[in-house]
Amino acid sequence: MNKRLLVASALLFCSSTILAQEVAYQEYDLDNGLHVILHQDNTAPVVTTAVMYHVGGKDRTEDRTGFAHFFEHLLFEGTKNIENGKWFEIVSSNGGMNNANTSQDRTYYYEVFPSNNLKLGLWMESERMLHPVINQDGVDTQNEVVKEEKRLRYDNSPYGKILFAVSENLFKKHPYKDPNIGYMKDLDAASLEEFIAYKNKYYVPNNATLVVAGDIVIDQTKKWIFDYFSPIPKGVEIIRDYPKEDPITTAIKTKEYDPNIQIPATIIAYRTPGFKDRDAYVLDMISTYLSDGPTSKLYKKMVDVQKQALQVGALNIGQEDYGMYLVYALPVGETTLDTLNVSIEEEISKARTTLISENDYKKLQNKFENRFVNSNSNVEGIASSLATNYMLYGDTSLINKEIEIYRSITRKEIMEVANKYLNPKQRVTIDYLPEEKPAN
C-alpha cells in the first residue's frame, strides 16, 4: 500500500472512530415538569434548540382531526412579544434556520443558530410555549395554508394517498385510522375556543422535552433555560386511553383509486406492534433484508431478474401504539397486480420459514451499524434523537445503545417475527388504481 493510500485509510478510520463516539448528555427536570436534555459539542459554533411536544395526529376527538398538524403551523403565527408574521424573519436575520414537523405521535420544533444566538433561540421557544397568540385571524390564515398543503402533497400528488388507504384499512377503532393532516371539514367546523383548549391541554411544559445541542456553555445554558422556561405553568396531566384494535384474522382485499396516476400499484400491509416493542426492531431488519438496495431479495427478483416491477419496496412504519408494515410494487407492462402479489408472498414466505443466510445477516448488521453512526453525525440529528428517545421510547440512553438491540437480533428471531406478523391471513391487500374514467 503506497503512503498516500495509507494516509487516506488512516484518515477514514479516524473519521469513523470519531463519528461513532458515544454521545454525552445531561438531563434534568424543571419544577413545572419540562424535561431538559443538554449535549455539548464545541467543534463548530452552531447550536440546535429543539422542543418536542407529546402530541400528534392521534391526539384528537372524533370529528376534530388534524389539530396537531394544524398547530405545527399555527404556533409560528406570533406571540405576545413576537409580531405576527415575524418569526421566520427574526430567525433568518440572526443567521439561523428553523422548521417543524408532526407525526401521529409527536410535534417537533427546532432552530439552528450560530452559538452566540442561543439565548434568542431559547427565548423564542419559551415564547411559543407561554405566549402564543391564538386568534381567529391566525386560525383562518393557517386553515388556508393547511388546505393548500393537502392539495399539493396528497390530493394532487401521484400516489399521495397510499398511506391514507393503508391506515384506514388497518385500523378501525384507533385514531391511526385517520390521516395525520386530518379532514378539512373538521378544521372548518372547529371553533376558536376549541383551538385554545387544545393548546392549553397539550402545549405545556410537562408534555414537552427541550433539547439544546451544540456549542454551549452548560452552566450559562441552564441559567437561561431556568429564566425563560421555569415561569411557564404546569399543565393538567394528560391521560391517553385509545381503543385497542381487534386482531386481523382474515385477509382483507380492497381497491382504492387515484386520479393522479397512470400506473397502478399493489400494497400489502400488516398491522404490527408499536416501535418500543423488540419485534419492531426485528421488522426493521426484515424490511431492509427484503428491499434495501439493488441486491435485496424483492428488488433483485422482481426488478432485475423477472422484470415484473418498475419499483418494489418494503417499509416498516413505526408508531407509538401500532406500527404499519407494508410492501408495495408497480408493475411493468402487462404484469398484473396479482402476479406481483404472488412474487411478494413467495419472498415473505421464505422469510417466515427459512433462516436467512449468514452472508445476508452480516450485510444487515453492517447496514444498521452504518445507519446508527450516521444518525449521530451532526448536532441536528443528535438533538432529534435525544428528544425522540426520551419522549417516545422512555430511554434517552438509546442514543448510544440502540445498536445493541439490532446486534442481538438473531437469524432465528428474524424468521420467528416474520412468521408472527407477516402472514397472508393477517394482511390487507390494496389494488391502488388509476381513477376510473366515466363512460362516454
Side-chain angles (χ1 to χ4, degrees):
M1 183 182 291
N2 63 44
K3 289 184 178 179
R4 185 172 299 175
L5 185 57
L6 184 62
V7 170
S9 298
L11 289 174
L12 181 61
F13 174 79
C14 291
S15 175
S16 299
T17 302
I18 291 169
L19 290 175
Q21 284 181 345
E22 182 171 294
V23 175
Y25 60 89
Q26 297 182 25
E27 56 184 333
Y28 61 97
D29 291 320
L30 297 181
D31 289 344
N32 58 13
L34 178 68
H35 190 73
V36 180
I37 307 174
L38 306 179
H39 165 67
Q40 186 178 39
D41 180 351
N42 303 118
T43 57
V46 294
V47 63
T48 296
T49 304
V51 177
M52 182 174 286
Y53 293 92
H54 198 177
V55 57
K58 75 170 186 285
D59 296 298
R60 85 296 189 280
T61 56
E62 288 299 317
D63 300 322
R64 289 297 182 267
T65 60
F67 270 41
H69 174 263
F70 190 84
F71 265 81
E72 176 197 323
H73 294 268
L74 188 62
L75 293 187
F76 281 107
E77 274 287 295
T79 75
K80 179 180 176 181
N81 297 301
I82 298 175
E83 187 181 343
N84 180 43
K86 294 293 185 180
W87 186 285
F88 294 99
E89 181 181 320
I90 292 171
V91 172
S92 61
S93 65
N94 284 276
M97 57 83 67
N98 66 172
N99 213 332
N101 53 74
T102 307
S103 74
Q104 287 279 21
D105 302 306
R106 94 293 179 274
T107 304
Y108 185 63
Y109 299 91
Y110 66 95
E111 292 82 30
V112 181
F113 275 118
S115 52
N116 61 351
N117 278 324
L118 168 60
K119 188 177 181 180
L120 174 63
L122 291 170
W123 173 74
M124 293 183 77
E125 285 302 335
S126 69
E127 276 290 299
R128 195 198 309 269
M129 191 180 294
L130 179 60
H131 292 134
V133 173
I134 300 175
N135 56 31
Q136 196 61 52
D137 286 344
V139 167
D140 292 342
T141 297
Q142 294 308 321
N143 199 332
E144 292 305 312
V145 170
V146 171
K147 286 178 179 177
E148 181 62 18
E149 179 183 351
K150 183 175 182 292
R151 285 190 287 266
L152 287 173
R153 293 183 60 185
Y154 305 109
D155 297 345
N156 300 320
S157 177
Y159 308 99
K161 295 184 178 180
I162 277 184
L163 289 183
F164 296 173
V166 171
S167 59
E168 71 184 21
N169 282 286
L170 281 180
F171 303 104
K172 300 302 178 183
K173 300 178 182 180
H174 192 281
Y176 287 157
K177 65 187 175 66
D178 297 318
N180 184 36
I181 199 170
Y183 301 111
M184 297 306 100
K185 62 181 178 62
D186 293 349
L187 295 176
D188 289 342
S191 67
L192 179 61
E193 288 72 26
E194 287 176 293
F195 286 113
I196 293 172
Y198 194 84
K199 185 272 166 190
N200 291 337
K201 179 176 182 178
Y202 290 108
Y203 295 84
V204 290
N206 48 305
N207 196 46
T209 296
L210 167 67
V211 179
V212 184
D215 184 26
I216 61 174
V217 177
I218 295 291
D219 289 344
Q220 179 64 77
T221 302
K222 286 182 176 181
K223 181 181 184 307
W224 286 334
I225 289 172
F226 181 84
D227 291 345
Y228 288 132
F229 287 92
S230 64
I232 303 175
K234 185 175 185 176
V236 176
E237 182 184 358
I238 297 167
I239 299 174
R240 294 176 172 87
D241 186 22
Y242 298 118
K244 302 293 189 294
E245 289 287 341
D246 298 322
I248 298 172
T249 56
T250 303
I252 300 169
K253 182 72 182 280
T254 189
K255 295 179 180 179
E256 298 286 343
Y257 295 92
D258 187 335
N260 304 301
I261 65 173
Q262 294 180 327
I263 300 172
T266 184
I267 306 109
I268 299 175
Y270 310 82
R271 191 193 307 141
T272 54
F275 48 50
K276 286 189 286 189
D277 194 293
R278 179 179 172 87
D279 287 349
Y281 290 91
V282 183
L283 288 162
D284 281 343
M285 298 194 82
I286 296 172
S287 66
T288 299
Y289 169 74
L290 289 175
S291 76
D292 185 32
T295 62
S296 61
K297 299 305 177 184
L298 286 174
Y299 190 95
K300 188 171 184 62
K301 173 184 177 179
M302 297 175 65
V303 177
D304 283 351
V305 177
Q306 297 183 354
K307 310 218 181 287
Q308 297 172 323
L310 289 170
Q311 188 176 345
V312 64
L315 300 172
N316 183 40
I317 300 174
Q319 299 178 135
E320 190 170 21
D321 298 339
Y322 295 99
M324 300 189 298
Y325 191 97
L326 60 100
V327 185
Y328 68 92
L330 278 64
V332 169
E334 300 300 316
T335 304
T336 67
L337 298 185
D338 285 341
T339 298
L340 295 179
N341 292 337
V342 169
S343 290
I344 290 169
E345 170 56 23
E346 287 173 353
E347 291 306 312
I348 294 177
S349 177
K350 291 176 186 177
R352 292 196 303 263
T353 57
T354 308
L355 292 176
I356 69 173
S357 71
E358 281 283 2
N359 186 54
D360 286 334
Y361 179 72
K362 289 177 182 177
K363 285 196 295 184
L364 273 178
Q365 290 289 347
N366 290 338
K367 284 183 177 182
F368 279 87
E369 292 269 2
N370 188 54
R371 289 181 193 178
F372 179 73
V373 170
N374 288 339
S375 69
N376 296 336
S377 62
N378 60 65
V379 292
E380 288 178 59
I382 288 172
S384 177
S385 293
L386 287 168
T388 300
N389 290 336
Y390 174 78
M391 175 165 285
L392 299 181
Y393 289 80
D395 185 358
T396 315
S397 69
L398 283 173
I399 195 165
N400 293 315
K401 68 181 186 183
E402 186 179 48
I403 189 59
E404 299 301 331
I405 299 175
Y406 290 108
R407 285 171 178 158
S408 70
I409 293 169
T410 65
R411 292 190 298 150
K412 182 181 178 183
E413 193 173 4
I414 290 171
M415 184 177 69
E416 290 172 344
V417 169
N419 191 52
K420 185 176 181 180
Y421 298 104
L422 308 183
N423 280 288
K425 290 184 178 181
Q426 297 166 262
R427 74 186 188 188
V428 174
T429 303
I430 303 170
D431 291 349
Y432 195 80
L433 305 170
E435 188 171 54
E436 294 179 323
K437 296 180 180 179
N440 292 330

